[in-house]
């Protein structure tokens, strides 16, 4: 890595983030001395510490070892999620030490390998995880920076070599424009992050800008994406899934590439959206040059990504599904998957809205997507980086759903401490808990203190 060759010490501000921790692991493996700050201790930060990375949890510049403050041999990486007023960040800026955003570091690394990048408003974590798994199992020397924990490997960072890099191309803050992709896939371009982009047209333009990075290279796009590229889909495209059969909770299908049909593929993840994600990952691997037979054997063993339609409880008495969905399109996808798996059962959804701005921008779409469930409870909005917006609350969203003619049987706003009791009261076997905030913490509490005294 040319630009980091002289660097011996790398300090991460926000090291426990899903994207940051993968980069910290990579640089640690490359022989750099890595340390960092994070606000809270998590399972990810514990894993990093076990791997020899020093982490502290107080914003205290003076406690950072001097080696990380040498402008000639040290490098600081930060995530935009960190407030600009944070003392360590301010002091590093004053000290003249080179500071890079996470996206800039990814961009530098992407120039050192064949870069396979997955972009899209939804599905990029699952698609890039499937792609990483396919290449890893097909004996490709791959380094993968994933935006979620891969169930089989219990990590967000997978490495068998440095020929190929798999990375999520994140549209937030136009981060993906830093990358140098050789093959890219785009899953979807539904509007999001309007707090940053301002309007839908500007948001969509940034995906066209990303596509322009692939001129003379290979761009694959989902059949519903209005960008020129090799189309991949369930209905039309160069790559298609045909003869789809659902059996035993899995998709069995044949892969059609132009006029040639390759039989006998199997995906163990429910939901049409996941079938589309898998198809895009397969197409990218084929374009890179992996054999169909290897891909077929690898796909059937993919176990999924944590918090992407993850079964937390799956017994006769209760099914509890955990999903990261935080956009109306993603909620629709969860609904489609759960109806496909449990066509004859009532479904209770517990949703934690993520960001006041997103709730405001898509209020009516949230009403429509949530109203598809039989019973719905809302937690308060998770603010993340935002201050409240007047008139935007879970109660407002709840009352809009209540005004619908065809509405769920139960619609309520719920306190976190009442979740377990509410689930018992509802007496609904199939429960989905969805959202990108800290709802995952509440789900873990339910598993540790099982519902209905399940064991």
């Amino acid at each position: 890595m040319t630009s980091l060759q002289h660097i011996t010490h790398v300090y991460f501000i926000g090291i426990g983030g899903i994207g940051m921790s993968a980069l910290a692991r990579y640089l640690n493996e490359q022989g750099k001395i890595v340390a960092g700050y994070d606000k809270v201790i998590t399972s990810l930060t514990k894993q990093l510490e076990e791997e020899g990375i020093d982490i502290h949890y107080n914003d205290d510049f003076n406690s950072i070892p001097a080696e990380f403050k040498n402008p000639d041999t040290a490098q600081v990486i930060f995530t935009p999620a960190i407030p600009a007023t944070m003392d360590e960040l301010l002091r590093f800026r004053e000290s003249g030490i080179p500071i890079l955003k996470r996206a800039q570091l990814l961009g530098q690394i992407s120039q050192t390998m064949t870069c396979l990048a997955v972009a899209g408003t939804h599905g990029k974590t699952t698609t890039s995880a499937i792609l990483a798994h396919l290449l890893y199992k097909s004996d490709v020397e791959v380094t993968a920076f994933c935006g979620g924990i891969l169930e089989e490997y219990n990590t967000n960072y997978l490495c068998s070599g440095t020929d190929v890099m798999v990375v999520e191309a994140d549209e937030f803050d136009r981060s993906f424009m830093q990358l140098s992709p050789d093959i890219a896939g785009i899953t979807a371009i539904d509007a999001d992050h309007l707090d940053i982009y301002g309007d839908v047209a500007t948001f969509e333009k940034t995906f066209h800008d990303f596509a322009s990075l692939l001129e003379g290279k290979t761009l694959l796009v989902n059949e519903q994406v209005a960008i020129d590229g090799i189309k991949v889909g369930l209905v039309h495209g160069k790559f298609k899934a045909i003869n789809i059969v659902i059996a035993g909770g899995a998709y069995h299908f044949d892969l059609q590439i132009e006029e040639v049909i390759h039989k006998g593929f199997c995906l163990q993840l429910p939901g049409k959206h996941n079938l589309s994600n898998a198809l895009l990952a397969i197409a990218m691997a084929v374009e890179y040059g992996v054999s169909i037979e290897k891909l077929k054997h690898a796909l059937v063993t993919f176990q999924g990504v944590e918090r992407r339609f993850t079964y937390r409880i799956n017994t006769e008495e209760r099914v509890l599904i955990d999903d990261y969905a935080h956009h109306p399109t993603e909620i629709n996808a969860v609904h489609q998957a759960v109806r496909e798996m449990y066509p004859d059962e009532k479904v209770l959804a517990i949703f934690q809205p993520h960001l006041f701005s997103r709730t405001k921008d898509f209020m009516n779409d949230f009403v429509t997507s949530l109203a598809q469930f039989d019973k719905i409870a809302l937690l308060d909005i998770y603010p993340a980086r935002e201050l409240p917006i007047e008139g935007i609350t879970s109660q407002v969203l709840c009352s809009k759903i209540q005004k619908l003619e065809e509405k769920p049987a139960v619609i309520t706003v719920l306190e976190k401490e009442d979740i377990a009791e509410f689930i018992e009261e509802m007496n609904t076997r199939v429960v989905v808990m969805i959202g990108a905030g800290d709802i995952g913490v509440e789900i873990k509490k339910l598993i540790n203190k099982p519902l209905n005294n399940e064991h």
Side-chain angles (χ1 to χ4, degrees):
M1 249 181 353
T2 51
S3 47
L4 286 181
Q5 270 175 357
H6 66 290
I7 297 295
T8 57
H9 291 69
V10 187
Y11 187 82
F12 284 81
I13 302 179
I15 195 166
I18 196 82
M20 293 281 275
S21 57
L23 284 166
R25 282 197 163 114
Y26 169 77
L27 290 176
N28 194 39
E29 272 191 13
Q30 296 294 304
K32 310 292 183 191
I33 297 167
V34 178
Y37 158 84
D38 211 287
K39 194 165 55 174
V40 289
I41 298 171
T42 64
S43 56
L44 266 177
T45 60
K46 283 180 191 165
Q47 276 183 318
L48 292 176
E49 290 187 273
E50 282 166 17
E51 289 166 27
I53 294 172
D54 188 40
I55 301 174
H56 67 258
Y57 300 91
N58 297 314
D59 181 2
D60 180 10
F61 185 77
N62 294 328
S63 72
I64 300 168
E67 297 87 350
F68 292 96
K69 298 171 181 173
N70 181 338
D72 297 325
T73 55
Q75 172 77 63
V76 174
I77 311 295
F78 78 103
T79 164
I82 293 289
T85 54
M86 187 212 171
D87 187 57
E88 284 188 13
L89 187 57
L90 290 172
R91 296 280 295 277
F92 271 122
R93 286 198 193 286
E94 288 163 8
S95 70
I97 293 167
I99 297 178
L100 288 178
K101 280 185 180 178
R102 179 180 71 90
Q104 291 171 306
L105 175 60
L106 270 176
Q108 286 187 12
I109 298 169
S110 73
Q111 293 169 22
T112 69
M113 303 181 230
T114 301
C115 176
L116 275 58
V118 180
T121 327
H122 340 284
K124 59 181 171 287
T125 296
T126 302
T127 306
S128 54
I130 296 172
L131 178 58
H133 172 84
L134 292 176
L135 297 178
Y136 187 82
K137 291 287 188 189
S138 300
D139 306 315
V140 174
E141 297 205 354
V142 61
T143 294
F145 301 98
C146 296
I149 304 295
L150 280 72
E151 294 279 10
E152 178 179 347
Y153 310 94
N154 194 31
T155 182
N156 55 336
Y157 170 70
L158 207 54
C159 182
S160 60
T162 52
D163 287 351
V164 179
M165 168 182 177
V166 172
V167 64
E168 282 189 34
D170 190 1
E171 75 277 3
F172 178 79
D173 200 24
R174 287 174 64 86
S175 292
F176 56 16
M177 295 306 293
Q178 304 281 347
L179 295 171
S180 300
D182 298 289
I183 299 172
I186 301 178
T187 59
I189 56 169
D190 299 312
D192 199 2
H193 305 303
L194 297 183
D195 55 321
I196 289 164
Y197 285 97
D199 57 54
V200 174
T202 308
F203 177 81
E204 288 180 352
K205 181 185 179 296
T206 205
F207 275 95
H208 287 273
D209 293 343
F210 174 73
S212 68
L213 297 176
L214 277 297
E215 268 179 43
K217 297 176 181 176
T218 306
L219 176 64
L220 299 110
V221 298
N222 179 281
E223 60 190 334
Q224 295 176 340
V225 170
I227 289 177
D228 288 340
I230 298 168
K231 294 289 180 187
V232 178
L234 305 181
V235 180
H236 54 79
K238 176 183 175 180
F239 293 85
K240 283 194 295 197
I242 60 169
N243 304 327
I244 301 163
V245 175
I246 299 165
Y251 285 110
H252 300 265
F253 64 97
D254 298 333
L255 173 68
Q256 184 172 342
I257 307 176
E258 292 176 323
E259 303 309 314
V260 182
I261 295 172
H262 304 274
K263 298 193 169 194
F265 278 81
C266 176
L267 174 71
Q268 304 275 2
L269 298 187
K272 284 271 171 27
H273 61 298
N274 281 325
L275 187 53
S276 292
N277 293 336
L279 201 55
L280 187 59
I282 291 166
M284 291 176 72
V286 169
E287 290 292 328
Y288 175 69
V290 182
S291 80
I292 298 290
E293 281 308 307
K294 280 188 173 179
L295 294 175
K296 199 184 293 183
H297 287 117
L299 183 68
V300 72
T301 63
F302 182 71
Q303 291 177 16
V305 181
E306 192 177 74
R307 298 216 64 227
R308 303 305 193 277
F309 212 89
T310 301
Y311 284 91
R312 297 297 184 191
I313 299 172
N314 192 358
T315 66
E316 287 296 315
E317 296 81 29
R318 174 90 62 216
V319 173
L320 176 61
I321 294 160
D322 174 9
D323 198 281
Y324 186 74
H326 55 283
H327 183 285
T329 306
E330 295 164 354
I331 294 170
N332 288 338
V334 170
H335 177 261
Q336 184 273 325
V338 78
R339 292 292 185 208
E340 195 171 65
M341 289 297 119
Y342 305 98
D344 304 320
E345 298 203 47
K346 302 279 187 203
V347 181
L348 162 63
I350 299 174
F351 174 56
Q352 180 187 46
H354 184 264
L355 299 182
F356 294 100
S357 58
R358 185 181 284 121
T359 308
K360 175 174 175 276
D361 291 336
F362 302 105
M363 180 69 80
N364 292 334
D365 294 327
F366 277 122
V367 169
T368 307
S369 60
L370 291 166
Q372 299 173 96
F373 295 96
D374 301 295
K375 301 172 186 177
I376 177 82
L378 304 175
L379 301 181
D380 285 333
I381 295 171
Y382 184 80
R385 56 187 179 269
E386 294 185 337
L387 294 170
I389 297 173
E390 195 177 335
I392 303 301
T393 64
S394 289
Q395 193 58 60
V396 169
L397 178 54
C398 184
S399 62
K400 283 181 180 287
I401 300 170
Q402 284 167 337
K403 285 175 186 159
L404 295 174
E405 273 187 40
E406 295 207 9
K407 60 189 177 197
V410 177
I411 311 152
T412 189
V413 176
L414 197 58
E415 296 295 326
K416 286 176 181 171
E417 56 267 28
D418 298 331
I419 292 173
E421 193 182 335
F422 177 76
I423 291 174
E424 292 298 349
E425 219 174 90
M426 289 300 99
N427 197 26
T428 308
R429 187 174 90 100
V430 181
V431 181
V432 295
M433 293 181 66
I434 45 184
D438 58 3
I439 190 169
V441 175
E442 301 307 316
I443 293 165
K444 282 185 178 150
K445 288 180 195 170
L446 294 178
I447 307 162
N448 295 334
K449 183 187 167 192
L451 304 160
N452 270 352
N453 298 318
E454 290 157 14
H455 300 289

